[in-house]
Amino acid sequence: MSLIIALTLMFSLILLAWFAAPALVRRGFRAPRRLEQSSPAELGLAYREIRIPTARGKQLFGWLIPAPLSGPQPVVAALHGWGGNAEDMLPFAPLLHRAGLGVLLVDARNHGRSDSDTFSSMPRFAEDLQHALDWLIEQPEADPARLAILGHSVGAAACLLVASHRRGLAAVISIAAFVHPAEMMRQVMAVHHIPYWPIGRWVIGYVERTIGHRLDDIAPLYTLQAIHCPVLLVHGDRDRTVPVAAAETLYAHRYSDAVQLWVIPGVAHDSVEAIQAHGDRLLQFLNIAMNRDK
């Protein structure tokens, strides 16, 4: 009798996963949209408001802040995290601009003022960043040989994914990246008391089919190992969203000494105020990376 009850319970769980999981996953793929409330002008920076074509006929909103000097100059393209927008990354702009760098800030699809699409995912963040870089190298303000990318959280994971396929980047700065999306999903499911087997495993499979990628293929744990330019992993030791152990794990699996780890004491997941206090370390890393072939 107990076997029949157990089999009935298992069958019920499978049915629940089959019918409920797609709706839950689609809900999870809907990022909250926040519109920008300011602009680079409020920081005294000249800029161009831009629209960049991306996948599926969509367009990205962004700001291009040229470097102080005219002509082709090094540029850092920055990408926000889940539910963020270009304004979240704006505090990096004065620091980078004073150092002689141009800055490209963009909204991923379904974020900020960019076009809506069916869903958001980390690979789509990466897809948008790829299109932004393709657009950037055609601009007279950018030196294609000196382009770096900087991302936060999901945007950081997207930067690592882009850099694992794209050659010619000068540097990558990854801030608060996670180790593996499946691990993040399992943590969320555990919080909500959702058993990994059979429901959790089925959900992960459904996610892979929906986004069109195996999670192992896009996980920072593995994409980091395929990058050939300098990488700076930045993480706060007070991060409760993605604990600092994630950065330590990524660093332990680095492909070479070109990957550096910088743990910042007292900094949480969204500690924007740390930029000004610790910006010199970022600039030192970028200066060496941008000029390593000279």
Side-chain angles (χ1 to χ4, degrees):
M1 188 68 177
S2 60
L3 177 59
I4 294 175
I5 293 174
L7 290 174
T8 301
L9 178 60
M10 179 175 294
F11 182 69
S12 298
L13 289 173
I14 292 172
L15 284 178
L16 176 64
W18 182 266
F19 289 108
L24 292 173
V25 170
R26 286 195 297 271
R27 184 176 179 181
F29 282 163
R30 288 201 300 268
R33 186 187 287 270
R34 293 188 294 108
L35 301 182
E36 287 82 357
Q37 301 299 314
S38 65
S39 76
E42 296 187 23
L43 298 177
L45 298 171
Y47 72 101
R48 282 201 281 140
E49 187 173 297
I50 56 174
R51 287 279 176 179
I52 298 174
T54 188
R56 297 167 56 85
K58 306 299 182 178
Q59 289 197 327
L60 307 176
F61 171 86
W63 295 315
L64 178 61
I65 303 167
L69 297 178
S70 60
Q73 300 296 327
V75 179
V76 178
L79 187 60
H80 57 81
W82 191 264
N85 60 35
E87 186 178 11
D88 293 346
M89 308 303 284
L90 190 54
F92 288 98
L95 175 77
L96 298 171
H97 188 263
R98 286 195 299 269
L101 303 169
V103 183
L104 174 64
L105 306 173
V106 294
D107 293 335
R109 275 169 287 173
N110 297 318
H111 290 73
R113 300 182 187 276
S114 287
D115 287 351
S116 297
D117 208 341
T118 50
F119 63 83
S120 295
S121 66
M122 190 267 278
R124 287 196 171 183
F125 268 60
E127 201 171 45
D128 290 339
L129 180 58
Q130 284 274 33
H131 284 277
L133 289 168
D134 291 342
W135 177 88
L136 184 59
I137 62 176
E138 300 296 330
Q139 305 310 304
E141 299 96 332
D143 179 354
R146 291 186 293 168
L147 300 182
I149 53 178
L150 179 156
H152 174 252
S153 195
V154 171
C159 284
L160 296 173
L161 178 56
V162 167
S164 70
H165 298 293
R166 190 180 186 107
R167 298 294 178 260
L169 290 171
V172 179
I173 297 177
S174 164
I175 302 175
F178 50 81
V179 173
H180 199 297
E183 178 184 296
M184 296 291 290
M185 292 173 62
R186 291 189 70 163
Q187 290 174 3
V188 171
M189 287 187 284
V191 168
H192 291 87
H193 307 291
I194 299 173
Y196 179 71
W197 186 260
I199 296 178
R201 186 65 194 90
W202 191 91
V203 168
I204 288 176
Y206 181 84
V207 167
E208 290 181 323
R209 292 190 297 274
T210 300
I211 67 175
H213 296 271
R214 293 177 64 250
L215 296 187
D216 279 350
D217 294 337
I218 64 173
L221 180 65
Y222 303 119
T223 58
L224 178 63
Q225 298 174 33
I227 299 174
H228 295 278
C229 66
V231 178
L232 179 62
L233 302 172
V234 184
H235 221 104
D237 68 354
R238 298 289 180 86
D239 193 330
R240 298 294 179 263
T241 304
V242 182
V244 68
E248 294 167 346
T249 298
L250 290 176
Y251 184 66
H253 290 81
R254 66 193 183 278
Y255 69 94
S256 76
D257 290 337
V259 178
Q260 302 176 35
L261 172 63
W262 179 24
V263 176
I264 309 178
V267 169
H269 192 69
D270 297 304
S271 297
V272 175
E273 68 278 1
I275 296 170
Q276 297 304 322
H278 301 281
D280 288 347
R281 173 71 184 273
L282 293 182
L283 296 181
Q284 180 185 38
F285 169 78
L286 285 172
N287 182 57
I288 294 173
M290 293 285 192
N291 296 286
R292 72 183 191 277
D293 294 328
K294 290 187 174 183

